Amino acid sequence: MSALGLTAVLGGCGSTGSSDVTLRLVAADYGDSPANSSKKYWDALVKDYEAKHPGVKVEVSVYPWTDVDSKVQAMVAAGHAPDMAQVGAYADYAARGKLYSADDVLSIPVQADLVGQLADAGELRHVQYGIPFAASTRVLFYNKTLFAGAGLTPPTTWSELAADAAALKAKGVKYPYALPLGPEEAQAETMQWLLSGGSGYTDDIGTYTIDSPQNVQTFDWLRDDLVGKGLTGPVAPGHLNRADAFAAFADGKVGMLNGHPTLMQQAAKKGVKFGMVPMPGRNGRAKATMGVADWMMAFKQNGHRDQIGDFLDFVYDRKNVLDFSREYDLLPVTSSASDAMTSSAQDKALRPFLDELPLAQLYPVGNTSWAQVSADVKKQIGQAVAPGGSPSAVLGQLQATASTAESAAR
């Protein structure tokens, strides 16, 4: 799975050949069928680039999200790092000194055009190595038909969300609120709730605060006021995966859930009438929502800094960023493309997500320990809301292992 929560099933290669310089890029596939494989996007972009730069050849290998990170890891371990990789994380490679910084490869206008908080999230020790490539935010989706049948309006607070869920349950809705804390993407649902409760995984300087009082209170509320009252459906949250929750929403069986832009198309294909509102907070609109970014990074090994920089400047041209974002219902990572989307009628459906981006907080991807912490959250967080579960104990254990992992990474 990608950080954005998108599934992918395809792999392949882009252009091949020889020339003065050959750049090799490994990229993730955002498509879900041959018709919209990312391979087609990269093939077209590379063809356009090579026509204007006859001295440079670009070979692109596209892999599913289930494979792409391990492919890059294996290449680096074998001493054959690609020139560029577009994957889900960058910090480990940066910490080992294997990457060019953004300053090394991007022109000043392109760097200045990157959305501020996304660029900041690409930093390790105050130097940017991760270049945001695609972004997403989360909003609360609700089934308009089910809400109308129960005489409800979208919630703005936790208490309203619980009351709406109770009313939906009384109407026989299978999943009044779908709470996917299963191993597929539990770290995302968890972060959305931590933020809506006023805290998060870390503080402002990146120190883990997983067992903060606010976070414990958040999961106490989830356990007692949602799960404990039977408002999250027949599958225990710790066993409910995001893909299954999305599929149930598209089948008209879910009243509410947190979702990203790809759910719009999935639900529309099934004829589900849905609305989208900001995630409720404890006593009103949440102060922050969850943002997710996938990353481009440039490896030093082959020494093609100038050619990499020139190619990446082309990749981040406004037209190319817009083409990619529109193809896969993602948010652009540059201000120029974001402004174009905001003012364009064809992108109206994405505006609720664009509106959330200035308020978004991202995973602590600048912490080299985050991959391990995320994996631990996926395994354990469902226990916090299980019958008889102890949020303070589960979050305390996650905090202890996160602190140990972060200390070891320094």
Side-chain angles (χ1 to χ4, degrees):
M1 300 304 300
S2 104
L4 297 180
L6 305 175
T7 59
V9 295
L10 303 173
C13 294
S15 303
T16 59
S18 61
S19 60
D20 295 339
V21 173
T22 298
L23 298 178
R24 293 176 174 84
L25 165 65
V26 175
D29 197 341
Y30 290 79
D32 57 8
S33 70
N36 70 345
S37 168
S38 294
K39 179 180 182 299
K40 292 189 174 183
Y41 171 81
W42 286 112
D43 282 351
L45 184 145
V46 166
K47 182 179 179 180
D48 190 11
Y49 179 79
E50 289 179 346
K52 300 171 183 174
H53 301 80
V56 179
K57 207 75 174 174
V58 183
E59 295 180 352
V60 184
S61 299
V62 178
Y63 297 103
W65 273 107
T66 51
D67 300 331
V68 67
D69 286 298
S70 62
K71 291 285 187 183
V72 174
Q73 290 168 4
M75 294 171 73
V76 173
H80 302 296
D83 295 285
M84 295 160 285
Q86 183 270 299
V87 291
Y90 66 86
D92 179 58
Y93 299 113
R96 290 188 279 156
K98 295 186 177 296
L99 302 182
Y100 287 119
S101 70
D103 285 340
D104 290 331
V105 292
L106 295 181
S107 67
I108 291 174
V110 170
Q111 275 191 276
D113 197 26
L114 294 172
V115 174
Q117 73 265 42
L118 300 180
D120 291 345
E123 293 184 356
L124 177 69
R125 302 185 187 100
H126 308 295
V127 177
Q128 185 186 353
Y129 297 96
I131 306 168
F133 180 76
S136 178
T137 55
R138 303 293 168 99
V139 298
L140 185 74
F141 282 70
Y142 66 96
N143 184 309
K144 286 187 173 181
T145 303
L146 297 179
F147 264 61
L152 303 175
T153 57
T156 60
T157 65
W158 286 3
S159 60
E160 290 177 3
L161 187 149
D164 285 352
L168 291 167
K169 180 184 179 182
K171 289 288 186 177
V173 175
K174 187 172 183 179
Y175 294 91
Y177 178 87
L179 183 66
L181 295 177
E184 178 192 341
E185 207 190 17
Q187 84 285 359
E189 184 74 13
T190 296
M191 183 170 175
Q192 184 66 73
W193 279 101
L194 298 184
L195 291 172
S196 71
S199 188
Y201 284 121
T202 64
D203 61 18
D204 291 340
I205 60 173
T207 302
Y208 286 109
T209 56
I210 298 173
D211 64 345
S212 69
Q214 298 101 310
N215 288 344
V216 172
Q217 291 169 11
T218 293
F219 269 81
D220 281 343
W221 186 86
L222 286 172
R223 179 197 60 192
D224 297 338
D225 289 67
L226 280 188
V227 181
K229 294 182 179 178
L231 302 179
T232 55
V235 180
H239 297 286
L240 181 64
N241 282 327
R242 178 203 56 82
D244 296 328
F246 277 21
F249 186 84
D251 287 337
K253 299 176 181 178
V254 174
M256 298 172 280
L257 83 171
N258 285 315
H260 52 64
T262 57
L263 182 57
M264 295 189 299
Q265 192 174 74
Q266 189 175 347
K269 284 180 179 178
K270 293 288 193 75
V272 171
K273 296 180 179 179
F274 60 88
M276 299 177 293
V277 294
M279 176 65 181
R282 190 184 301 273
N283 298 308
R285 178 173 175 173
K287 293 182 179 179
T289 188
M290 187 185 74
V292 181
D294 294 332
W295 304 96
M296 180 73 76
M297 53 189 170
F299 285 90
K300 292 179 177 179
Q301 180 175 327
N302 303 313
H304 296 147
R305 186 181 77 170
D306 291 344
Q307 292 85 358
I308 291 170
D310 189 67
F311 178 68
L312 288 180
D313 278 359
F314 185 77
V315 168
Y316 285 89
D317 177 78
R318 188 183 76 156
K319 176 186 180 298
N320 293 327
V321 173
L322 279 172
D323 286 348
F324 183 85
S325 300
R326 285 168 172 162
E327 177 67 28
Y328 299 106
D329 285 333
L330 294 168
L331 304 185
V333 297
T334 62
S335 297
S336 59
S338 183
D339 290 345
M341 267 197 168
T342 301
S343 60
S344 172
Q346 78 178 91
D347 302 306
K348 183 178 179 180
L350 282 172
R351 285 180 191 165
F353 300 93
L354 286 164
D355 290 344
E356 292 296 300
L357 191 56
L359 304 173
Q361 292 187 19
L362 279 71
Y363 295 130
V365 289
N367 292 11
T368 55
S369 59
W370 169 243
Q372 179 181 335
V373 173
S374 176
D376 289 342
V377 171
K378 292 177 183 181
K379 293 176 184 176
Q380 300 180 41
I381 197 65
Q383 301 169 20
V385 297
S390 171
S392 61
V394 172
L395 295 178
Q397 179 60 43
L398 289 169
Q399 174 68 32
T401 56
S403 298
T404 299
E406 184 63 14
S407 296
R410 290 174 179 171

